[in-house]
Amino acid sequence: MAKTIGKMAEKTPSVCETVNGLLDKKGFTYQIMAPEDLHVFSQLSTGNIIQRITIPYFGAFAVIKYRLKQIYESVESLTDEELGVSTLLAYNGVTVKQESENFLSLHWTADPISDMVSDSVVALVLNASREMRKMVVDSEPVVNEEEDTKKAEKIVYALLIFLFVDVKYREDGKLVINIYGNVAQLDKESRKVKSENEGLKERVKMAFRRIRSAVKPMGQF
């Protein structure tokens, strides 16, 4: 048995409602509390790690915005008042800034979800840069297409897990997505989705189409 305390105890959860918090054990007593209450009910404190990365990019910022919207439904346009630069907020966690004509910067608070989102944004920006270089340079660039394809597959798989949680590979290479007992099978080669649940089928099909169009390396994936 665990007791909720602090802000967690202000509202009684309904039946089957998920409760998220920190579990604190003192002897044989268990308590669940909100992260911001940790310093109140214990001698511990929490802290955040702010991540920042700079990516070379010479194209239009609108291209990145368009591609981000293909993957994430929540993409918000902002303006950095201090720097006066174009800014995007992806999935309420990762900030993308065009700090100059030569590079973009990403800022986010480290956590499993934001780290995954930031990885996908980095891959998206690098792929966009590479595709634009192919349009303006006649000579063929040196690209390891096999390695890029493997990286793209890993990113697609990670994004599918981010969206649907329970995603597993079958022996034949197909992906099985399970949501509360509703199962969908995704064939990445044919891009076909099979499921008895039409809603899940269309959701998986749309998600894979968006992810693929934004993450594919040089059109090879």
Side-chain angles (χ1 to χ4, degrees):
M1 179 180 293
K3 295 182 179 179
T4 56
I5 59 176
K7 294 182 179 179
M8 295 284 294
E10 293 178 357
K11 176 185 175 183
T12 302
S14 58
V15 178
C16 296
E17 180 181 350
T18 301
V19 177
N20 294 316
L22 299 178
L23 181 64
D24 179 39
K25 178 185 177 184
K26 295 181 179 179
F28 296 97
T29 303
Y30 294 86
Q31 297 176 328
I32 303 176
M33 66 189 73
E36 55 267 29
D37 284 340
L38 183 63
H39 71 284
V40 178
F41 298 101
S42 73
Q43 296 180 345
L44 302 174
S45 60
T46 59
N48 294 323
I49 299 177
I50 306 300
Q51 302 269 38
R52 183 181 187 276
I53 187 172
T54 301
I55 312 170
Y57 180 72
F58 304 92
F61 194 60
V63 174
I64 302 302
K65 180 180 179 179
Y66 171 75
R67 296 202 173 192
L68 281 175
K69 285 190 172 182
Q70 287 184 302
I71 301 179
Y72 300 106
E73 295 181 358
S74 175
V75 178
E76 184 179 354
S77 297
L78 305 172
T79 300
D80 191 312
E81 297 181 355
E82 295 182 0
L83 300 177
V85 299
S86 300
T87 305
L88 296 174
L89 181 62
Y91 207 81
N92 298 322
V94 178
T95 302
V96 185
K97 296 182 180 181
Q98 188 180 30
E99 297 192 6
S100 80
E101 296 180 355
N102 300 325
F103 67 88
L104 303 177
S105 65
L106 269 64
H107 308 254
W108 72 97
T109 301
D111 63 63
I113 294 179
S114 296
D115 289 347
M116 188 181 300
V117 173
S118 65
D119 286 343
S120 68
V121 175
V122 171
L124 183 150
V125 173
L126 293 178
N127 286 332
S129 297
R130 188 179 302 146
E131 289 175 2
M132 283 185 287
R133 283 200 301 270
K134 282 198 67 177
M135 294 173 62
V136 298
V137 179
D138 294 330
S139 60
E140 185 71 20
V142 179
V143 178
N144 189 331
E145 295 182 356
E146 182 178 355
E147 183 178 348
D148 282 350
T149 300
K150 290 181 179 179
K151 289 181 179 179
E153 290 181 349
K154 290 181 179 180
I155 293 172
V156 170
Y157 181 57
L159 288 172
L160 287 172
I161 291 178
F162 171 71
L163 292 173
F164 301 106
V165 181
D166 190 353
V167 182
K168 297 179 181 178
Y169 272 104
R170 292 196 329 187
E171 293 182 358
D172 57 3
K174 295 182 180 179
L175 289 169
V176 178
I177 299 167
N178 190 328
I179 298 182
Y180 299 112
N182 296 308
V183 179
Q185 298 179 11
L186 170 62
D187 188 335
K188 293 189 300 181
E189 298 296 329
S190 65
R191 308 176 199 174
K192 293 182 178 179
V193 180
K194 294 182 180 180
S195 177
E196 296 181 358
N197 187 309
E198 287 297 324
L200 177 60
K201 178 180 178 180
E202 291 303 317
R203 185 181 172 191
V204 173
K205 188 182 299 184
M206 180 180 294
F208 182 66
R209 182 170 64 249
R210 287 181 173 180
I211 293 172
R212 181 183 177 278
S213 64
V215 177
K216 62 179 180 178
M218 306 296 294
Q220 296 298 317
F221 176 71

